[in-house]
Amino acid sequence: MKQIKTIIPGFSTLKHAAQWLCYLLVLAILSGSMVALFLWLLELATEFRWQHEWLLFLLPVAGVLIYLLYRFKGKRSEKGNDLVIDEIHEPGGGIPVGMTPLILFSTIVTHLFGGSAGREGTAVQMGGSLAALTGKWFRLPANKAGTLLMAGIAAGFGAVFGTPVAGAVFALEVLTVGKLRYQAFIPCIIAALLADLVCNAWGISHVQYRNYLSEDLNADVLLRFNWLLFLKVLLGGILFGLAARLFATGLHTFKKMVSKLPVRAGWLVPFAGGCIIIGLSYWLQTSDYLGLGVSSKTEAGTSIISAFRQNGATDWSWFWKILFTVITLGTGFKGGEVTPLFFIGATLGNTIAAHTGAPADLFAALGFIAVFAGATNTPIACTLLGIELFGPAYALYFTVACFAAYYSSGHKGIYKSQRVPVSKFDKWRRTTDG
């Protein structure tokens, strides 16, 4: 029994194990169902916006609505993912139950009117909020509640992307750079698997990205090792890390600048942000950088999916997505950062491939996961994400790209509450010096 207890807090007896399974089942049903509702509404909102492009002109008004909602109904929820991470590190403040409906509604509104945002942040916040609610129902003490919050992150992430293994490891890896809380792995993987099953049971399907990789490339990577391709992947990983650093630094700097503006009427900030997004869209004469960016309204448009084709992105598509997303999230609109990071990475990968002669589909896949790895300091989770999304044939290249991005992205990722106990390079030197 001691061995069981060291793996999962509270699993000292079969009774306690059954209790934990009950907690995780309740959490998974709640999280998986809410993520399914969210993804369904998100798809409806995106299609409706494509059919009614005039909705973009209401984006400034949507921003004001979101500002007022958070000002009067959810001030503590404003911290988003950082609130969940902070509560795991230093329990006490609690996570409002109202975070779930607030972030769900505000993210749908952001996408309906054309804001450039993602969905991971919404799923993680809902998972954390529902984990806190589950903990209150079962009256869990602080140490168990923290583990359940980590399971909530895993459940939200695993269900929204259909990648439960990556979701579980992400929940462990995102808290502290270079340190994993292995004792929470089993609750996290159970919650992520069950939440993904619940989401699928509601009829929600995820994009099958491996379908966009050519079979010839798959056979080539499996049968022989290519040193030239390996060096191109390493170079690409460094560039992906620099793009992640640009995004994270740009987002934090822009938010800091906005917070220092001498504006008494706070609602003017999202109103102005919406106006800037409208102006940029018409200046560039494209709507490709609005919304998620997974697919485009037209086949000729730029999207994550188009990036897997030769010449499927322009040289600066990745930069414009950074700019649109920084302005959207930096002025108070809601949603996640990860799907825009997928877009940034996939289009940058396509550009690198075009200039180096590398396979466009492989480099789109590498950028997809590596920019995310650099921006969140989660290279292991992102390597597993690549394997779950694209298959195991490219595992070596996934690993190289993700860790190269991790080391070249600096220490400050998109989550301010993420702990950095030691330098990435100090930890590496200690390991190699024995």
Side-chain angles (χ1 to χ4, degrees), residues 167-406:
V169 176
F170 176 81
L172 308 180
E173 197 174 15
V174 75
L175 302 178
T176 306
V177 175
K179 182 179 179 181
L180 299 180
R181 298 189 183 186
Y182 293 107
Q183 69 273 19
F185 176 72
I186 292 181
C188 286
I189 190 65
I190 292 174
L193 285 167
L194 291 177
D196 184 42
L197 288 173
V198 170
C199 185
N200 291 331
W202 284 106
I204 300 298
S205 58
H206 299 88
V207 179
Q208 298 299 310
Y209 288 105
R210 72 177 65 196
N211 294 339
Y212 299 102
L213 295 175
S214 67
E215 293 182 3
D216 292 340
L217 173 64
N218 187 35
D220 181 66
V221 173
L222 278 172
L223 294 176
R224 61 189 178 88
F225 182 78
N226 187 320
W227 275 105
L228 180 59
L229 180 59
F230 179 87
L231 293 175
K232 291 178 181 178
V233 170
L234 181 60
L235 172 63
I238 294 171
L239 294 176
F240 295 141
L242 294 176
R245 186 171 188 168
L246 176 62
F247 179 87
T249 303
L251 183 59
H252 294 319
T253 302
F254 187 71
K255 285 184 175 181
K256 189 175 182 179
M257 290 171 54
V258 167
S259 68
K260 291 184 176 181
L261 289 175
V263 180
R264 291 186 178 181
W267 59 268
L268 285 173
V269 171
F271 187 89
C275 291
I276 294 172
I277 293 296
I278 294 171
L280 282 172
S281 297
Y282 277 85
W283 180 50
L284 295 172
Q285 297 184 339
T286 181
S287 61
D288 290 342
Y289 307 116
L290 305 176
L292 279 175
V294 173
S295 56
S296 178
K297 181 181 177 180
T298 63
E299 194 164 334
T302 302
S303 65
I304 294 175
I305 291 174
S306 76
F308 286 84
R309 303 193 302 263
Q310 201 74 33
N311 301 316
T314 68
D315 283 353
W316 293 100
S317 295
W318 61 274
F319 173 78
W320 292 120
K321 188 62 174 178
I322 288 178
L323 186 60
F324 273 73
T325 307
V326 165
I327 293 171
T328 298
L329 299 180
T331 54
F333 291 89
K334 301 301 176 183
E337 299 91 349
V338 172
T339 305
L341 289 171
F342 291 163
F343 183 107
I344 294 161
T347 53
L348 178 57
N350 185 284
T351 299
I352 293 172
H355 289 281
T356 62
D361 48 356
L362 174 60
F363 269 67
L366 294 174
F368 185 108
I369 58 173
V371 173
F372 176 30
T376 58
N377 292 310
T378 56
I380 300 175
C382 291
T383 300
L384 294 171
L385 178 70
I387 292 171
E388 286 189 283
L389 290 178
F390 304 112
Y394 321 99
L396 174 62
Y397 296 112
F398 293 158
T399 304
V400 171
C402 285
F403 275 89
Y406 168 74

Side-chain angles (χ1 to χ4, degrees), residues 17-251:
Q19 288 175 341
W20 262 98
L21 289 175
C22 182
Y23 307 153
L24 296 172
L25 180 61
V26 171
L27 172 61
I29 292 173
L30 292 174
S31 299
S33 298
M34 289 304 300
V35 168
L37 174 64
F38 169 57
L39 291 176
W40 178 67
L41 290 174
L42 191 57
E43 184 175 355
L44 290 180
T46 300
E47 291 179 355
F48 192 79
R49 177 172 54 79
W50 284 349
Q51 296 167 6
H52 304 85
E53 293 185 350
W54 56 266
L55 285 171
L56 178 62
F57 291 102
L58 295 179
L59 183 62
V61 179
V64 175
L65 173 61
I66 293 171
Y67 169 82
L68 293 174
L69 275 175
Y70 274 83
R71 179 175 176 81
F72 295 107
K73 293 293 182 181
K75 290 184 179 180
R76 293 197 69 247
S77 300
E78 182 70 33
K79 288 186 65 178
N81 287 3
D82 284 317
L83 178 63
V84 180
I85 295 173
D86 273 337
E87 187 63 23
I88 295 172
H89 284 302
E90 299 176 7
I95 299 175
V97 176
M99 176 181 272
T100 292
L102 267 176
I103 190 61
L104 174 63
F105 177 79
S106 58
T107 302
I108 296 300
V109 168
T110 296
H111 284 279
L112 177 63
F113 295 100
S116 176
R119 49 193 173 180
E120 152 274 340
T122 304
V124 167
Q125 289 174 52
M126 289 195 300
S129 176
L130 294 170
L133 178 61
T134 303
K136 289 180 181 178
W137 284 348
F138 290 102
R139 299 180 181 179
L140 296 183
N143 62 326
K144 293 183 180 180
T147 300
L148 197 63
L149 283 178
M150 294 175 68
I153 293 175
F157 189 102
V160 80
F161 295 124
T163 54
V165 178
V169 176
F170 176 81
L172 308 180
E173 197 174 15
V174 75
L175 302 178
T176 306
V177 175
K179 182 179 179 181
L180 299 180
R181 298 189 183 186
Y182 293 107
Q183 69 273 19
F185 176 72
I186 292 181
C188 286
I189 190 65
I190 292 174
L193 285 167
L194 291 177
D196 184 42
L197 288 173
V198 170
C199 185
N200 291 331
W202 284 106
I204 300 298
S205 58
H206 299 88
V207 179
Q208 298 299 310
Y209 288 105
R210 72 177 65 196
N211 294 339
Y212 299 102
L213 295 175
S214 67
E215 293 182 3
D216 292 340
L217 173 64
N218 187 35
D220 181 66
V221 173
L222 278 172
L223 294 176
R224 61 189 178 88
F225 182 78
N226 187 320
W227 275 105
L228 180 59
L229 180 59
F230 179 87
L231 293 175
K232 291 178 181 178
V233 170
L234 181 60
L235 172 63
I238 294 171
L239 294 176
F240 295 141
L242 294 176
R245 186 171 188 168
L246 176 62
F247 179 87
T249 303
L251 183 59

